[in-house]
Amino acid sequence: MENNDRGKFGSKLGAILAAAGSAVGLGNVWRFPYETGNNGGAAFILIYLGCVLALGLPIMIAEFVIGRRTHTNIVGAFEKLAPGTQWKWVGRIGVISAFFILSFYSVIAGWTLEYMFEAISNGFSGKTPGEFDAAFTAFSTSPWRPLIWLILFLVATHVIIARGVEKGIESFSKLMMPMLFILITVLAVCSVTLPGAGAGVEFLLKPDFSKVNSQVFLAALGQAFFSLSLGMGTLCTYASYFKKDTNLIRSAVSVGLIDTFVAILAGFIIFPAAFSVGIEPDAGPSLIFITLPNVFQQAFDGLPWLAYIFSVLFYLLLAVAALTSTISLHEVATAYIYEEFKISRKRAALYVTASCCVLGILASLSLGVGRDILIFGMSFFDLLDFVTAKLFLPLGGALIAIFVGWYLNKRITRNELTNEGTLKVNSYKAIIFILRYVAPTAIMVIFINELLIA
Ligand code: TRP
């Protein structure tokens, strides 16, 4: 079924910025810094770069091939390329993952709004470290406040998705991504010029390999997948809106570069500021909600207006980055529903938003009033995170690599990568080799290891 009114990205730059918008998100500014902090700094970053280059990019290219070849949603894509087989389950698991990730991701995205408004109303000034801690716990476990932000965030996502691919996703990404680059650069420059920031810069640049063990490799690969939005068809779906003359390999390299650049700059915001006030960087997931507001206050001690601006801009940055990612998750599910069940885009989007509100509310409550209700020993929030990040994404990534590496006709892959023979591609053999052997093996080793440790 060729569907001509399903939309396309209007320009190559727009397509790249949309895909980069999906990749750049809480994964870069929230998750990457705490993973770096917990795994020893520069050595972790080097291994992470290796994972992006050697595994992330080839799998991203495989997703682009599937999406651009079929011009349809992730389930329809597998049905088209492998009719009558069970491969469509890779697509179905992708759609389920989209619902799950969107639900718990929006909870944290909602927190960034609370912190942005707290920063705007000058609520950080004069608080002690203990008060930041207590304030975060009180907020994140309170029964209704986080729910309002969560719903607001999902509604914002919905409005952009309902406007369509070019007018919604593309124009929003084109507006927001440059703003995000400016914000993040300004904040990083501010942070590295603080007195005593040098120790933080050193932490990011001077690798200490004595701390590297297999856990560090696992963390780096997991982070690479999450940050590049791989393993569940997000980038397949976006590539289904690419034009015929989009250079897939070059686009993947651009997205990978932008994503990595933003993650490292986020490190340059957080660690120099933290070290300059003598705070250790290994606080874990609460790093940006408890440690950072405190860091901002102390770092700009005596310059309260700078602390104010810095905090407001930082949480604004987080919210924007999260929003360009939630729209990409939403689109996976919306495209599937409206194409496969032949209903309007707006109605499909409404179903997705409504179900994610319900799942998200349950996830949010499971951190507070419902914290005693455990499923397999986990809160509902942690369950959604675990099932997607630790099970579905690695499995999906490996299956996508196997699909393009082994199952898909090589002529199709070559035609897509060379745009029907009009581009010269030197890396074709290397990409296929990685998709066939390296990626499935590496992912399976990590997958099994994680399950045994978890
Ligand atoms: N990559 C985004 C981030 O870094 C999150 C995200 C969007 C994602 N789509 C995804 C993660 C698909 C995994 C799979 O925040």
Side-chain angles (χ1 to χ4, degrees):
M1 177 194 63
E2 198 64 52
N3 186 346
N4 287 326
D5 57 3
R6 65 193 296 278
K8 270 203 174 10
F9 291 127
S11 67
K12 284 183 201 162
L13 179 69
I16 289 177
L17 288 182
S22 167
V24 172
L26 297 175
N28 304 59
V29 194
W30 166 65
R31 205 170 184 279
F32 179 80
Y34 81 69
E35 287 284 349
T36 303
N38 288 350
N39 289 293
F44 171 83
I45 296 181
L46 280 180
I47 297 167
Y48 173 78
L49 292 179
C51 291
V52 169
L53 209 67
L55 296 169
L57 288 186
I59 293 180
M60 190 187 296
I61 291 167
E63 291 209 17
F64 281 175
V65 167
I66 296 172
R68 214 255 312 255
R69 177 74 189 183
T70 53
H71 290 299
T72 187
N73 68 85
I74 180 69
V75 177
F78 280 102
E79 192 50 38
K80 240 182 189 174
L81 294 173
T85 66
Q86 295 306 318
W87 280 105
K88 56 180 169 296
W89 278 99
V90 180
R92 289 192 181 140
I93 292 179
V95 173
I96 298 172
S97 305
F99 276 103
F100 285 3
I101 300 179
L102 182 56
S103 303
F104 78 81
Y105 194 91
S106 300
V107 173
I108 305 197
W111 295 355
T112 68
L113 293 182
E114 161 86 7
Y115 273 70
M116 189 173 95
F117 283 95
E118 188 72 11
I120 289 174
S121 59
N122 207 13
F124 293 153
S125 108
K127 277 210 177 101
T128 62
E131 283 169 341
F132 280 117
D133 201 340
F136 175 73
T137 310
F139 163 70
S140 62
T141 58
S142 103
W144 58 272
R145 256 180 103 85
L147 303 189
I148 296 174
W149 295 122
L150 160 74
I151 291 169
L152 202 74
F153 209 92
L154 282 167
V155 169
T157 307
H158 177 90
V159 169
I160 299 166
I161 288 297
R163 288 173 58 94
V165 175
E166 192 174 349
K167 286 211 196 90
I169 300 175
E170 182 176 1
S171 46
F172 184 75
S173 307
K174 267 165 117 172
L175 189 71
M176 287 301 149
M177 293 307 285
M179 177 172 122
L180 197 134
F181 296 139
I182 297 172
L183 275 181
I184 201 159
T185 313
V186 170
L187 290 174
V189 170
C190 269
S191 184
V192 295
T193 50
L194 288 169
V201 175
E202 189 170 308
F203 180 74
L204 285 167
L205 295 181
K206 222 172 173 185
D208 172 6
F209 287 102
S210 68
K211 296 210 183 82
V212 173
N213 53 29
S214 66
Q215 264 312 91
V216 176
F217 277 89
L218 306 187
L221 189 74
Q223 174 61 22
F225 261 68
F226 189 86
S227 188
L228 295 171
S229 304
L230 295 178
M232 49 150 284
T234 309
L235 294 175
C236 280
T237 304
Y238 271 15
S240 75
Y241 305 121
F242 283 4
K243 290 182 171 163
K244 284 249 161 299
D245 60 348
T246 301
N247 183 330
L248 297 186
I249 296 182
R250 195 178 293 164
S251 305
V253 171
S254 308
V255 173
L257 277 178
I258 294 174
D259 189 63
T260 306
F261 181 70
V262 172
I264 290 180
L265 271 186
F268 274 100
I269 296 178
I270 289 166
F271 295 116
F275 276 92
S276 99
V277 295
I279 285 179
E280 286 298 317
D282 55 1
S286 65
L287 183 66
I288 62 165
F289 294 109
I290 299 176
T291 315
L292 268 198
N294 178 32
V295 164
F296 295 160
Q297 293 315 304
Q298 293 186 38
F300 299 103
D301 195 22
L303 293 168
W305 58 274
L306 232 135
Y308 178 83
I309 295 176
F310 201 92
S311 323
V312 173
L313 291 184
F314 181 79
Y315 291 102
L316 175 70
L317 165 86
L318 267 175
V320 170
L323 191 53
T324 54
S325 297
T326 52
I327 57 179
S328 74
L329 290 159
H330 199 299
E331 181 63 23
V332 172
T334 300
Y336 164 69
I337 293 176
Y338 92 80
E339 286 178 357
E340 297 295 316
F341 298 94
K342 308 210 171 27
I343 59 173
S344 77
R345 179 181 178 85
K346 287 209 167 86
R347 181 174 284 258
L350 204 61
Y351 291 153
V352 177
T353 306
S355 358
C356 288
C357 278
V358 175
L359 286 177
I361 287 173
L362 294 177
S364 182
L365 291 177
S366 78
L367 299 174
V369 287
R371 90 191 104 210
D372 294 332
I373 306 170
L374 298 180
I375 314 161
F376 301 118
M378 283 177 267
S379 69
F380 186 59
F381 183 99
D382 290 338
L383 185 72
L384 291 179
D385 183 1
F386 176 83
V387 167
T388 51
K390 300 247 160 89
L391 300 180
F392 288 177
L393 294 186
L395 211 60
L399 288 171
I400 287 170
I402 292 170
F403 183 77
V404 174
W406 294 95
Y407 183 90
L408 194 65
N409 188 327
K410 289 290 137 329
R411 225 176 355 180
I412 293 182
T413 312
R414 192 179 267 281
N415 277 341
E416 283 304 315
L417 294 185
T418 60
N419 288 354
E420 313 293 330
T422 56
L423 297 174
K424 202 171 138 36
V425 169
N426 297 322
S427 47
Y428 176 76
K429 283 218 171 81
I431 293 170
I432 295 293
F433 180 79
I434 291 177
L435 292 178
R436 283 195 152 192
Y437 304 102
V438 185
T441 318
I443 296 168
M444 280 307 149
V445 167
I446 284 167
F447 184 64
I448 291 163
N449 251 308
E450 277 202 332
L451 283 191
L452 292 185
I453 293 164

